[in-house]
Amino acid sequence: MLDPDFTPIEPEIQNPKSKIQNPARRVALNALNPFVAQVVTKLLMLGYAIVQFRLVAGESLGGYILATIVFSYTSTISEWGLGTLAARDIARSRDTDAESESASALFSQTLTLRLLISLALLVPVTLFIALYVGFFNLSAEGAWAVVILTVSLIPSAFSGSVTALFYAYERMSLPAIIGVITSAINVGLGIAALYLGWGVIGLAVAALATTLLTSLVFLYLLRQHFPDFGFWILDFGFRGSRSSQSKIQNPKSKIGALLSAGWPLMLNALLVGLFFRADQFIIQASASSLEVARYEAAYRFLNFALLITPAVTLALFPRMSRHAANDRPRLLYEYAFALKALTVISVPLVALTVWFAPLLIAIVTGGKVGYLPESAIALQILIFFLPLSFINGITQYVLIALDRQRLITVAFAATVTFNFVSNLLLVPLLGINGAAIATIFSEVVLLVPFIYWTRRELGQLNLANLILKPLISGLVLVVPAWVLWSVAERWSASTADFALYILSGLALLAIYGLLLIALRPFSQEEVSGLKGALRR
């Protein structure tokens, strides 16, 4: 992931928009700062979820959860991969003669398209509401929540476009800080709405108000940090670029080129969303909104673990995009290191999640009756997808950097098909546990073509050797965990048992650390790279 000798290989680009001049330190900060901010945000949202589980009935909350899932799909469609596309292409154009004009044009054009797509989505969302209200027991308040959240796509499109611009210049910290502040505002407004008796509609209104406020903050940041973009930031006519290097000269070809380039990225993201959350629609159709809420309780904790891969990939993505064009051996080195580091992190997360699952569900739901043991068992099964998800997450962005996003679409399409069919078979038989099992095997289906294509592009990649030592450490943990399992079964019986339960979990983590020290999964060169990245 991090090269121990950055500067001799790739001299630092002296860009006035990039405030951090040491590349190793920049990558580390761009990974760690947003990650910390996201952890804080997720903690806020966890507290928010606890209040929701306590104050909202399970059936009503299930309707709101379904509304948020619909929003995640529509926001993916409205984004159309244009944020990633803009970040990649602006990063490639940095320090060229046409940098400012190219960045301004790409920002305006992608933002305009995102707004138009957001407006167009109102039609299919209306049809979805009619279908689910008529045939699948979606409540009226759940339907209104879908409508309100869909409206918030418009200000979200602007905030996302400005965020992509900051990412292109490897300045991830500022958008992350804003995310923390606005999340705190969202939580405050939502809790106030619940105590006022506005229910799930109040939650949706709070989300819309927060999104509007966030867009105003990003408008201010755009004017402060990119004043040369001009006052009118939209480009409905897609006027021709003044640059002689422009390859697209008329509005229709510009729109077509952007939609064509963004289509596989959008479809990939949409398929990922279907992969992870289509099971909720099947659970809703075959069981009830209460089961949706139970499965959501298991997912709440996973939101923290799933922050790790985006933090690493977004920090590395500008570098990977440049290496993909001119230094593929360097890209292979950083990719292999990232795989190893993510595996080292994922193994103890799996072990500790299995151990603490009942406690985690009790925390997420505020101890509300009706979620244990069902949600805890689902979480203990579901967490085993994490190492595979980490590998697939970083591999996906390597393929995007290599401009092979259309291959990703094929893999995701096959995986979503497998996931959908397996959920149709397993959910009626095993309930939410069947959905968890389907998720794990779907990650395996996705992994196979990803690794094949990456090896074809970058050369030999021995995945087994990269992840072997962390996996051995994890398997060894099964023995002490099995010996201590009786402690986990009686954690809620008394204060003494609870203390022993916590200490036993920490002991498992310490054993894993000692095993890693003994097995030494990182080479001396990789250790030097880590030290260089973390040094001030």
Side-chain angles (χ1 to χ4, degrees), residues 77-271:
I77 296 173
S78 69
E79 201 270 343
W80 202 266
L82 296 170
T84 301
L85 188 67
R88 185 190 69 184
D89 291 350
I90 292 172
R92 287 177 176 176
S93 70
R94 281 166 47 183
D95 294 293
T96 65
D97 293 338
E99 174 186 353
S100 179
E101 183 181 357
S102 175
S104 177
L106 264 173
F107 173 79
S108 298
Q109 293 161 5
T110 54
L111 171 59
T112 303
L113 269 180
R114 290 177 71 165
L115 291 174
L116 293 175
I117 295 170
S118 298
L119 290 171
L121 283 170
L122 291 172
V123 175
V125 167
T126 302
L127 295 176
F128 168 84
I129 292 171
L131 176 65
Y132 260 71
V133 169
F135 297 99
F136 297 116
N137 304 316
L138 181 63
S139 64
E141 59 183 1
W144 275 110
V146 174
V147 172
I148 295 168
L149 291 179
T150 302
V151 173
S152 69
L153 289 173
I154 297 172
S156 291
F158 178 77
S159 300
S161 295
V162 180
T163 299
L165 189 60
F166 277 95
Y167 281 3
Y169 285 98
E170 299 179 69
R171 297 180 61 186
M172 286 80 168
S173 297
L174 187 55
I177 292 170
I178 293 179
V180 173
I181 296 172
T182 54
S183 294
I185 295 172
N186 182 27
V187 170
L189 291 176
I191 292 176
L194 288 179
Y195 276 102
L196 288 172
W198 294 358
V200 298
I201 295 178
L203 295 176
V205 171
L208 174 58
T210 304
T211 307
L212 289 168
L213 176 61
T214 305
S215 66
L216 293 176
V217 173
F218 274 109
L219 176 60
Y220 171 79
L221 290 175
L222 180 68
R223 296 303 180 203
Q224 290 294 311
H225 293 273
F226 301 92
D228 52 340
F229 273 33
F231 180 78
W232 186 247
I233 55 179
L234 298 182
D235 188 359
F236 287 99
F238 278 20
R239 293 178 291 275
S241 171
R242 294 187 301 272
S243 172
S244 60
Q245 299 178 6
S246 177
K247 297 180 181 179
I248 306 172
Q249 297 299 327
N250 62 77
K252 289 185 178 180
S253 64
K254 283 186 177 183
I255 293 173
L258 285 173
L259 291 177
S260 176
W263 163 255
L265 295 173
M266 182 281 294
L267 190 57
N268 294 344
L270 184 63
L271 291 173

Side-chain angles (χ1 to χ4, degrees), residues 244-519:
S244 60
Q245 299 178 6
S246 177
K247 297 180 181 179
I248 306 172
Q249 297 299 327
N250 62 77
K252 289 185 178 180
S253 64
K254 283 186 177 183
I255 293 173
L258 285 173
L259 291 177
S260 176
W263 163 255
L265 295 173
M266 182 281 294
L267 190 57
N268 294 344
L270 184 63
L271 291 173
V272 169
L274 287 169
F275 169 28
F276 278 110
R277 307 318 305 264
D279 47 17
Q280 291 284 39
F281 293 99
I282 297 173
I283 293 169
Q284 171 75 43
S286 64
S288 66
S289 293
L290 177 59
E291 288 297 293
V292 172
R294 283 173 172 168
Y295 199 51
E296 181 67 18
Y299 256 102
R300 290 287 179 172
F301 169 74
L302 292 183
N303 288 335
F304 288 93
L306 291 174
L307 293 175
I308 296 172
T309 304
V312 174
T313 55
L314 289 176
L316 286 172
F317 188 56
R319 283 182 59 81
M320 290 193 298
S321 297
R322 294 195 295 271
H323 289 328
N326 53 39
D327 195 351
R328 291 199 173 187
R330 184 65 50 184
L331 175 60
L332 177 60
Y333 172 85
E334 295 187 358
Y335 168 56
F337 191 14
L339 286 177
K340 188 182 298 185
L342 288 171
T343 305
V344 167
I345 295 170
S346 67
V347 170
L349 284 176
V350 171
L352 293 179
T353 300
V354 171
W355 184 261
F356 288 119
L359 176 60
L360 293 170
I361 296 299
I363 293 172
V364 166
T365 61
K368 192 172 183 178
V369 175
Y371 291 93
L372 286 174
E374 292 86 357
S375 294
I377 295 173
L379 176 58
Q380 288 172 329
I381 298 171
L382 189 60
I383 192 61
F384 282 93
F385 92 103
L386 193 66
L388 298 167
S389 176
F390 279 6
I391 295 172
N392 287 332
I394 189 70
T395 305
Q396 175 188 350
Y397 273 84
V398 169
L399 290 171
I400 293 173
L402 292 165
D403 203 21
R404 296 294 184 267
Q405 56 266 22
R406 294 184 185 277
L407 292 176
I408 301 173
T409 305
V410 176
F412 277 137
T415 302
V416 168
T417 302
F418 173 86
N419 182 263
F420 187 75
V421 172
S422 59
N423 271 290
L424 285 176
L425 294 174
L426 294 176
V427 169
L429 293 175
L430 302 174
I432 59 177
N433 295 337
I437 294 170
T439 299
I440 297 171
F441 284 105
S442 297
E443 288 285 357
V444 176
V445 172
L446 184 61
L447 176 67
V448 174
F450 270 17
I451 295 300
Y452 172 77
W453 289 325
T454 306
R455 292 180 64 178
R456 188 177 66 183
E457 293 289 332
L458 297 180
Q460 185 63 30
L461 177 70
N462 195 326
L463 182 63
N465 283 346
L466 289 173
I467 66 176
L468 181 61
K469 291 181 180 179
L471 289 182
I472 289 174
S473 301
L475 290 173
V476 172
L477 281 183
V478 173
V479 176
W482 180 75
V483 172
L484 295 170
W485 189 248
S486 61
V487 174
E489 292 180 322
R490 62 176 190 270
W491 68 273
S492 59
S494 66
T495 302
D497 286 331
F498 180 76
L500 187 58
Y501 175 56
I502 299 296
L503 291 174
S504 298
L506 295 177
L508 292 176
L509 182 60
I511 292 171
Y512 177 75
L514 293 173
L515 289 170
L516 281 184
I517 293 173
L519 293 174

Side-chain angles (χ1 to χ4, degrees), residues 15-72:
N15 191 304
K17 294 184 176 67
S18 182
K19 304 299 184 183
I20 303 171
Q21 298 304 312
N22 180 276
R25 183 169 179 246
R26 183 182 64 224
V27 171
L29 289 177
N30 283 336
L32 292 174
N33 288 348
F35 175 72
V36 171
Q38 284 291 312
V39 168
V40 174
T41 299
K42 293 300 182 182
L43 286 172
L44 285 170
M45 301 311 292
L46 176 60
Y48 194 25
I50 292 171
V51 174
Q52 292 176 14
F53 278 109
R54 293 295 297 176
L55 298 182
V56 182
E59 291 290 335
S60 296
L61 185 58
Y64 179 71
I65 291 169
L66 202 66
T68 61
I69 295 172
V70 171
F71 173 76
S72 71

